Amino acid sequence: MNPFDDEMLDTALANLARTGEAAQRMMREGDDVTSRASDRTRMVTVTVGGHGTLKKIVFRGDAYRELPPAELADILVKTIERARQKARDRALAMVQDLLHDVPVVGLDIPRPENADEFMSELFDMFTQNIPEAGGRPAGPGSPDRKGNWT
């Protein structure tokens, strides 16, 4: 007896196609995303790309020339980091939207609050059954007759 029928196979293939389309859409949109941040006086505005790469720095006026180098450097570092955080937040929002389009197959997909939490949960989800050096998985349990860890 075949545990999979044609309808299950068709459903699985359709779900796989939907997942691929959603991932491609996210990659296209991620390349086009930019994030901007300015310092509190709006003297410096920084633009970063969707992956957090620095794209542009714009100075308004000449006030920056009067600043001590260490103070200007501090403003730049903080403004760049704020722009990168915005980019990470937008990327996380895009991934969460993607997860709504991806069919769930018996798993609870994490709904994290920030990018670091998302990456940690995703890493845990994909590595939970990887054997340690002794050949056993990192978590509790033992394999059943089919090799699935419980």
Side-chain angles (χ1 to χ4, degrees):
M1 182 171 125
N2 185 359
F4 299 104
D5 61 18
D6 289 338
E7 185 178 333
M8 288 176 67
L9 183 59
D10 289 343
T11 300
L13 289 173
N15 287 343
L16 182 61
R18 282 182 42 216
T19 302
E21 290 167 4
Q24 287 176 352
R25 186 184 74 237
M26 187 180 81
M27 294 299 289
R28 280 191 313 270
E29 292 173 4
D31 290 340
D32 296 335
V33 171
T34 60
S35 297
R36 287 192 186 97
S38 296
D39 71 309
R40 63 178 175 77
T41 64
R42 300 205 184 277
M43 175 179 53
V44 176
T45 300
V46 173
T47 304
V48 297
H51 301 287
T53 54
L54 185 61
K55 298 288 187 181
K56 188 177 186 182
I57 298 175
V58 175
F59 294 95
R60 187 176 60 103
D62 290 336
Y64 69 94
R65 293 175 191 237
E66 304 298 321
L67 295 176
E71 187 176 343
L72 178 58
D74 185 58
I75 289 170
L76 285 169
V77 167
K78 288 178 179 175
T79 306
I80 290 168
E81 183 52 36
R82 202 166 30 258
R84 286 184 173 154
Q85 183 61 49
K86 284 183 178 182
R88 283 190 295 269
D89 291 346
R90 290 180 75 183
L92 177 62
M94 287 175 64
V95 168
Q96 288 175 331
D97 286 344
L98 169 69
L99 292 178
H100 292 293
D101 294 341
V102 173
V104 178
V105 183
L107 294 175
D108 288 328
I109 300 294
R111 303 287 186 218
E113 295 297 318
N114 60 55
D116 293 334
E117 182 182 323
F118 176 77
M119 292 308 294
S120 176
E121 289 182 19
L122 200 58
F123 180 78
D124 290 345
M125 185 171 65
F126 284 108
T127 59
Q128 66 186 357
N129 289 328
I130 293 178
E132 293 178 346
R136 294 199 34 114
S142 60
D144 63 15
R145 290 178 176 227
K146 296 180 182 177
N148 298 316
W149 288 90
T150 58

